[in-house]
Amino acid sequence: QTCALPISWELIENLNDMAHDHTWDLWIEASEADDEELREKASEVQQAHFRKLFRELDFDTQFEITEICEKDDDFNDQFDAYHGEE
């Protein structure tokens, strides 16, 4: 159990980094335009891509992450921020 936490933190951080890379151009456009609506859209697109990447993980890994969410409030809060609402 204690070994799983760092691996899972790293995994969700990596998924979020990939989702951020996927939406990079939209983030740049929002920043350059100083447009809050575009920032919100970029965030929503990034969260949607995070959810897609999460669903592509094997079942055991998804299950492990949801189990950790139930036991670790900090992890759960971070996962929810990356995942967003569907």
Side-chain angles (χ1 to χ4, degrees):
Q1 175 68 32
T2 56
C3 186
L5 286 172
I7 293 169
S8 296
W9 274 100
E10 184 178 343
L11 177 58
I12 67 166
E13 294 289 334
N14 287 342
L15 292 178
N16 187 61
D17 287 345
M18 289 189 288
H20 186 266
D21 290 347
H22 177 78
T23 57
W24 180 254
D25 290 342
L26 192 52
W27 281 113
I28 294 296
E29 182 181 347
S31 178
E32 288 175 351
D34 196 24
D35 186 324
E36 192 57 38
E37 285 184 25
L38 267 180
R39 285 188 183 100
E40 288 177 25
K41 178 178 173 146
S43 181
E44 291 169 3
V45 170
Q46 181 172 335
Q47 288 172 332
H49 196 67
F50 178 91
R51 291 190 298 271
K52 175 185 177 291
L53 295 170
F54 179 74
R55 286 191 298 268
E56 291 174 355
L57 297 173
D58 63 83
F59 175 79
D60 290 340
T61 303
Q62 290 181 38
F63 183 77
E64 176 187 349
I65 288 173
T66 56
E67 287 283 296
I68 295 169
C69 283
E70 292 176 7
K71 298 174 184 170
D72 184 327
D73 289 339
D74 291 335
F75 184 88
N76 186 56
D77 290 346
Q78 189 62 66
F79 181 82
D80 283 349
Y82 291 157
H83 189 275
E85 296 182 22
E86 295 200 54

